[in-house]
Amino acid sequence: MTDSPLSHPPLFAEIAIPAYVTQTYTYRVPDAFIPLAQRGCRVAVPFGRKMQIGYVVALHDTLEGELAPASLKDIEAWLDETPVVAEEILELTHWVADYYYAPWGEVLKAALPTGLDTSLQTLVTATEAGRKLAVSSQPSAVSGQPPAASRQPSLVEVDGGEHTQHPAPSTQHLPKALTKHKFLFWLVEAGGESPLDAAPSEYSANRAKAIARELEKDGLVTIQQRVGRQRIQPKRQTAVRWNSSQQSVVSSQQEEKNSALRTQHSALIQNPSPQQQRVFEVMETVTEAIAFTELTTKADVSPSVIHTLEKKGVLEVFVREIRRDPLAYLKLLPQAEAITLNAGQQAAYETILEAVSAKKFGSFLLQGVTGSGKTEVYLSVMQSVVERGQSALMLVPEIGLTPMFSRRLSQKFGSLVAVLHSSLSPGERLDEWERIRDGQARVVIGTRSAIFAPLVDLGLIIIDEEHDGSYKQTESMPHYHARDTAIVRASRAGCTIVLGSATPAIESAQNARAGKYVHLTLSERFGGRSLPDVTLVDMREVFKRHKRTQFVSDELVTAIQNTCDQREQAMILLNRRGFASFMLCRSCGLTSDCPNCDVTLTYHKADRRLSCHYCNHHTPVPELCPNCNGRYINYIGEGTEQLEERFKELFPQLRIARLDRDVTRRRGVFERVLGEFASGGIDVLVGTQMIAKGHDFPNVTLVGVVSVDAGLAVPDFRSAERTFQLLAQVAGRAGRGDRPGRVLIQTYHPEHYALGSAREQDYNRFFNEEIGYRRALYYPPFSVLANVVVRHTDLTQASALAERFAQLLRGAAKEEPSTRILGPAPAPMAKLRGEYRFQILVKARKRQNIRDAFDLSFARLTDGERRNVFVEIDPVDLM
């Protein structure tokens, strides 16, 4: 008699699905999975006609409301023995989903490394009817020969008709019935069951899927999904070490290691060969193990020599897991010198440390002029946190800033440092994430998504350049802001957060003035260095001088030449990549417009193509006008590629390089160029905003800014603020060493208050003027914003839905006069990636007013309408 299997009380799981849905879904937990059931695990569940990987966010032993156990579907697979989402991160993502009106499953997916993703495999199985049909037809799926009989059963009766003998053509040209026959024959010959992605190569993935669905409708196959392997597996390496007996000798006789090893060698091998002797010499320098390939290289021997020593019991060859180290490139960058904090830095450090020591939530705005040494304050506080056994997180706005900070952190904290950003390979990101989760890494630096790093005992969060718009996720869901999310995380974790900037966001500065943040200031550059001298070059005067538009002013050309003559370096900012903004035919007026977006295609001369920087559509550069066949094609506007070419013409003797997204697509280029510039191998560095922030090059004494007016012309209430911040940041790259710095800003609007404030490097002047405009126009920080974008591939439907949703919002907000609904109107970019876009801007005194209006309005939309309405809370960009 056998014991009956254990039965468990019923258990139900609430699952967050990474899809554009507004709710979680309840599933039944099968008995086999109940011992594994914990919040934060991943599961595979049926969702619609597919299987989805979801996240367990709650467990219940009873059902509420109208749900009945019989109506629930079972969880198909339980993927994790232990939760991959820690409780702290689970609660944080719930807040993000609720605050930013985002699907919880999408937020959870964004919080985890892509290397954790598990594949879902589509399995096709022949039914009994399908097997009988294939057997009765008796063709060869391998040879592709058609049925021998002239009359064969069809697939839908099956498809009746005669098939004549002929060689097997490509499936693209076969009649549909015969193509389906061939697919079925292949499936049965494969054993009657096979993954869909194992179909013969003559079938494209989409074609194979379509045929399988048709066969399923005919009752000839069934289609299921099953959980495959995790996409990224641990990295393994073949390594070599002394065998166990050799290791015991080494460990017991450390002081006489070499002689002990030689004694062992001679006992096992009489008269070792020269090759074996070289292996011994290398192994004597190894403390634990060495990579197999490294050993053969260093000893200059073939693999057979190693294997011979393995057979004789001297060496052990084994496979080990190794870390994919994203910080290996740091050796390319020069090491920074440690410095002693000055009085201002020490005061800021002590104030922050007092909050850290209290282990309670504290928020600080550290405002310091460029070059004032905010980084040293960060590092000092982080060191104190680590010495207390806690963890520290530092966010930077762009990947380009991670090399410098990673170098500084690695110097101070060694292997405790981990880095997280989107340029890591999936394997590197997974390895770093696992080190963080396991407590092996306690200092993390990364871009916005690193706010979800599963740090153990978090004691400090630092947001460098807190004003930067890159902290907001704008291109895809969820539209969270990493700075604001960090404040919430710090508050819930009871830790200290420091927001640092030379030019704080208007909202942050207002919060500091209102007492929400402790305001700390560093008003002088470190070492007593002076701020650079800033000059506005009036391009209207340059035009009068030359009687035509000039791309680069005489003043800038002269300044570059003088700077390099003194063996100093220059950085030139042009915040627009490519060679030219668009192509123009001077005969007929044709421009190079993107077919998917409401923008012109940018000309990239090096690639000889026109590209859209939004949807990545590209086309070759035409020799003649595609409209009139004319030869007079011009390229209008300037980009960093053209600026680099122009400087090389003007200064053939100088070493000139460029840094923008086009150049840095190739891995390692960014670090290599920065390293070369830091070592003096480059005289002039041209780039976009990625060169404007955070970098510290003591030999840079000149900064030039070209085409600054484009930023002021953007139809966004933050355009002046962004322009001022960018100019102040890039100006701060000059004069950070012993020599004074100089900045030249080319503009057609020198009277603009943002430029005047940047020239004087006076943040307070800019703030006082800007805050007046914000108050008068009811913009943040005097209101809260939500931007609604209605998108649809059909213009009429997009317009109608936008009008309907705006009416719903007005109806929902009619009792609250402080809530204003503006629009709908075509978005500044009215078409993007093939979709027409209408914009509705919602302003309110309180966030809850916006939330209430959305809740009421979305409840009246159908599911189909809801999928075309996208909300961004606290937008930083209204384009």
Side-chain angles (χ1 to χ4, degrees):
M1 180 176 178
T2 58
D3 294 333
S4 60
L6 293 174
S7 61
H8 296 273
L11 188 64
F12 309 98
E14 200 174 322
I15 309 298
I17 304 293
Y20 196 47
V21 293
T22 57
Q23 64 185 83
T24 56
Y25 295 85
T26 304
Y27 289 82
R28 187 169 44 239
V29 181
D31 283 355
F33 300 149
I34 287 180
L36 299 173
Q38 296 181 74
R39 283 186 5 129
C41 290
R42 295 169 302 156
V43 293
V45 295
F47 187 73
R49 297 185 58 187
K50 293 184 177 181
M51 190 182 294
Q52 279 270 26
I53 303 296
Y55 308 91
V56 180
V57 296
L59 293 163
H60 310 288
D61 50 17
T62 59
L63 292 175
E64 297 181 359
E66 300 178 356
L67 285 176
S71 67
L72 300 182
K73 297 178 181 179
D74 282 349
I75 291 172
E76 293 283 343
W78 201 280
L79 304 186
D80 304 307
E81 293 185 6
T82 57
V84 295
V85 186
E87 282 291 329
E88 180 196 4
I89 303 302
L90 201 61
E91 295 302 325
L92 182 66
T93 55
H94 189 202
W95 176 86
V96 169
D98 182 67
Y99 182 86
Y100 290 106
Y101 242 81
W104 194 357
E106 291 281 9
V107 183
L108 284 163
K109 185 176 182 179
L112 295 173
T114 55
L116 274 178
D117 289 352
T118 299
S119 62
L120 289 174
Q121 200 170 46
T122 302
L123 192 69
V124 184
T125 306
T127 65
E128 188 62 28
R131 288 176 181 272
K132 287 180 179 179
L133 177 58
V135 170
S136 65
S137 303
Q138 295 183 349
S140 169
V142 177
S143 66
Q145 293 300 311
S150 61
R151 171 72 176 169
Q152 296 293 342
S154 67
L155 291 175
V156 196
E157 168 273 284
V158 173
D159 267 328
E162 295 186 354
H163 302 282
T164 57
Q165 298 286 338
H166 56 274
S170 165
T171 58
Q172 293 181 354
H173 305 292
L174 284 173
K176 180 185 286 188
L178 187 54
T179 305
K180 291 160 69 175
H181 266 303
K182 285 190 65 178
F183 188 91
L184 185 60
F185 300 150
W186 159 75
L187 181 61
V188 172
E189 285 194 350
E193 179 180 273
S194 180
L196 187 59
D197 56 14
S201 58
E202 61 194 85
Y203 296 95
S204 67
N206 289 337
R207 184 69 181 131
K209 187 184 298 183
I211 291 173
R213 285 176 179 166
E214 291 176 15
L215 291 171
E216 184 182 38
K217 290 178 182 177
D218 300 338
L220 300 173
V221 302
T222 59
I223 301 176
Q224 299 173 287
Q225 281 188 304
R226 66 181 180 188
V227 177
R229 299 175 62 195
Q230 184 172 300
R231 288 196 172 97
I232 302 299
Q233 298 298 311
K235 186 176 181 179
R236 292 180 171 86
Q237 178 190 70
T238 302
V240 183
R241 61 189 173 198
W242 300 111
N243 70 14
S244 56
S245 63
Q246 301 296 305
Q247 291 177 53
S248 65
V249 169
V250 174
S251 61
S252 62
Q253 302 179 32
Q254 286 293 329
E255 294 182 0
E256 300 178 356
K257 173 182 175 181
N258 292 345
S259 61
L261 291 173
R262 290 191 181 94
T263 300
Q264 290 287 339
H265 300 161
S266 59
L268 291 168
I269 297 180
Q270 298 295 329
N271 300 318
S273 68
Q275 292 92 337
Q276 292 172 336
Q277 189 61 45
R278 291 200 299 272
V279 172
F280 293 161
E281 291 170 359
V282 173
M283 289 301 298
E284 287 171 9
T285 67
V286 175
T287 55
E288 294 181 1
I290 185 172
F292 190 99
T293 55
E294 184 181 357
L295 178 57
T296 58
T297 301
K298 285 186 173 181
D300 191 22
V301 297
S302 66
S304 62
V305 177
I306 311 297
H307 290 306
T308 298
L309 292 171
E310 181 187 22
K311 290 176 183 177
K312 292 181 178 294
V314 177
L315 300 180
E316 179 184 354
V317 179
F318 67 103
V319 177
R320 64 181 177 181
E321 289 187 8
I322 62 171
R323 172 193 173 197
R324 288 162 278 224
D325 185 4
L327 297 178
Y329 68 85
L330 288 179
K331 61 179 180 290
L332 298 173
L333 300 177
Q335 298 297 300
E337 296 181 5
I339 65 170
T340 302
L341 300 184
N342 61 27
Q345 292 170 317
Q346 185 68 27
Y349 162 71
E350 291 175 356
T351 303
I352 298 169
L353 187 61
E354 186 176 344
V356 170
S357 302
K359 292 190 175 182
K360 295 191 300 184
F361 172 65
S363 54
F364 297 85
L365 175 63
L366 178 60
Q367 183 177 354
V369 297
T370 55
S372 59
K374 295 184 291 296
T375 300
E376 296 301 331
V377 177
Y378 300 156
L379 293 175
S380 298
V381 180
M382 292 171 86
Q383 185 168 7
S384 297
V385 168
V386 173
E387 288 172 352
R388 285 168 164 75
Q390 293 183 286
S391 299
L393 170 63
M394 181 176 184
L395 297 190
V396 294
E398 293 185 6
I399 294 170
L401 295 176
T402 56
M404 181 193 71
F405 282 114
S406 296
R407 177 196 64 188
R408 300 291 303 276
L409 292 173
S410 294
Q411 279 183 251
K412 193 172 282 285
F413 304 112
S415 62
L416 291 177
V417 177
V419 60
L420 290 176
H421 56 70
S422 59
S423 283
L424 302 184
S425 70
E428 287 173 335
R429 194 174 178 90
L430 177 61
D431 287 357
E432 293 292 88
W433 182 86
E434 288 180 338
R435 291 178 61 238
I436 297 165
R437 180 193 58 184
D438 297 340
Q440 298 173 20
R442 294 194 286 121
V443 176
V444 174
I445 179 171
T447 48
R448 61 174 175 256
S449 61
I451 189 56
F452 300 113
L455 282 155
V456 178
D457 194 10
L458 184 61
L460 174 70
I461 300 176
I462 292 171
I463 313 293
D464 188 46
E465 311 291 3
E466 64 83 29
H467 64 274
D468 200 287
S470 299
Y471 284 122
K472 185 68 183 285
Q473 169 73 287
T474 58
E475 292 186 358
S476 59
M477 295 285 283
H479 296 306
Y480 68 95
H481 199 301
R483 178 197 61 205
D484 299 342
T485 304
I487 293 170
V488 172
R489 183 173 184 182
S491 175
R492 295 186 173 197
C495 78
T496 301
I497 183 167
V498 179
L499 311 179
S501 177
T503 54
I506 295 295
E507 293 90 336
S508 297
Q510 182 73 357
N511 282 337
R513 284 161 170 75
K516 292 183 180 180
Y517 305 149
V518 177
H519 194 182
L520 305 174
T521 58
L522 300 174
S523 56
E524 295 182 358
R525 278 190 155 187
F526 184 80
R529 301 182 182 101
S530 61
L531 288 168
D533 177 57
V534 181
T535 301
L536 298 180
V537 179
D538 191 339
M539 296 302 288
R540 297 171 298 187
E541 296 301 319
V542 175
F543 177 82
K544 291 178 184 177
R545 189 186 311 151
H546 291 274
K547 308 302 181 186
R548 59 187 176 89
T549 301
Q550 289 289 105
F551 179 21
V552 181
S553 66
D554 306 323
E555 290 86 342
L556 183 56
V557 171
T558 301
I560 292 173
Q561 187 64 64
N562 292 340
T563 297
C564 295
D565 285 346
Q566 298 174 40
R567 297 189 177 183
E568 298 166 355
Q569 294 169 293
M571 299 176 75
I572 310 299
L573 170 74
L574 171 55
N575 204 23
R576 186 166 54 242
R577 60 192 174 100
F579 190 88
S581 301
F582 62 95
M583 180 195 82
L584 172 69
C585 174
R586 288 184 292 170
S587 297
C588 69
L590 178 74
T591 57
S592 55
D593 296 327
C594 176
N596 306 315
C597 306
D598 190 23
V599 296
T600 54
L601 297 175
T602 301
Y603 172 45
H604 290 259
K605 187 176 182 180
D607 299 330
R608 292 293 300 164
R609 68 181 187 182
L610 300 166
S611 298
C612 176
H613 291 169
Y614 294 92
C615 72
N616 205 32
H617 169 82
H618 55 267
T619 183
V621 174
E623 296 295 331
L624 301 174
C625 173
N627 183 51
C628 70
N629 217 32
R631 300 179 182 180
Y632 302 105
I633 292 178
N634 257 21
Y635 296 100
I636 310 299
E638 304 86 17
T640 48
E641 189 181 1
Q642 184 178 163
L643 186 59
E644 179 191 24
E645 181 179 287
R646 177 65 175 145
F647 282 160
K648 286 181 177 179
E649 293 172 353
L650 289 169
F651 310 108
Q653 77 282 9
L654 298 182
R655 297 161 296 179
I656 298 168
R658 169 167 56 98
L659 269 184
D660 56 28
R661 198 180 304 173
D662 297 324
V663 172
T664 57
R665 283 198 186 100
R666 297 186 303 278
R667 191 162 187 194
V669 171
F670 185 87
E671 293 81 9
R672 179 182 60 76
V673 173
L674 280 186
E676 193 174 352
F677 188 62
S679 64
I682 295 170
D683 299 309
V684 179
L685 183 63
V686 176
T688 55
Q689 63 179 1
M690 64 171 57
I691 71 169
K693 310 161 197 168
H695 305 298
D696 190 353
F697 301 112
N699 198 40
V700 172
T701 58
L702 174 67
V703 166
V705 182
V706 178
S707 297
V708 69
D709 303 316
L712 293 172
V714 173
D716 191 308
F717 76 94
R718 285 193 172 92
S719 60
E721 180 184 9
R722 279 196 290 263
T723 299
F724 169 77
Q725 289 167 340
L726 182 61
L727 291 177
Q729 291 293 328
V730 74
R733 301 315 104 204
R736 298 175 76 94
D738 296 330
R739 303 174 185 179
R742 184 183 180 195
V743 181
L744 297 182
I745 301 173
Q746 297 185 172
T747 177
Y748 285 92
H749 302 284
E751 68 283 352
H752 196 285
Y753 69 95
L755 302 186
S757 300
R759 180 188 60 223
E760 297 171 12
Q761 298 171 77
D762 188 342
Y763 178 84
N764 288 331
R765 172 190 165 184
F766 174 78
F767 176 87
N768 291 333
E769 186 138 10
E770 179 70 12
I771 203 75
Y773 294 127
R774 299 285 183 92
R775 183 183 289 107
L777 297 172
Y778 195 46
Y779 276 119
F782 302 103
S783 68
V784 291
L785 290 185
N787 188 34
V788 181
V789 177
V790 178
R791 306 192 320 225
H792 203 287
T793 54
D794 182 88
L795 176 61
T796 302
Q797 293 191 53
S799 176
L801 179 56
E803 197 64 56
R804 168 167 154 71
F805 193 68
Q807 290 175 359
L808 290 173
L809 286 172
R810 288 190 177 93
K814 63 183 179 182
E815 301 299 327
E816 182 52 62
S818 68
T819 302
R820 304 176 188 176
I821 314 297
L822 307 180
M829 296 188 63
K831 187 181 181 185
L832 194 64
R833 301 182 183 94
E835 293 182 315
Y836 295 95
R837 306 165 74 244
F838 286 82
Q839 198 172 52
I840 304 167
L841 191 63
V842 183
K843 297 181 180 181
R845 184 73 62 190
K846 299 178 181 178
R847 299 184 192 280
Q848 190 59 45
N849 295 342
I850 290 181
R851 183 58 186 255
D852 291 344
F854 280 152
D855 286 344
L856 290 171
S857 301
F858 276 119
R860 300 193 176 189
L861 295 182
T862 66
D863 289 342
E865 290 174 327
R866 177 70 178 87
R867 283 192 288 269
N868 292 298
V869 179
F870 299 85
V871 171
E872 184 177 357
I873 303 295
D874 301 337
V876 298
D877 187 344
L878 298 181
M879 294 296 289

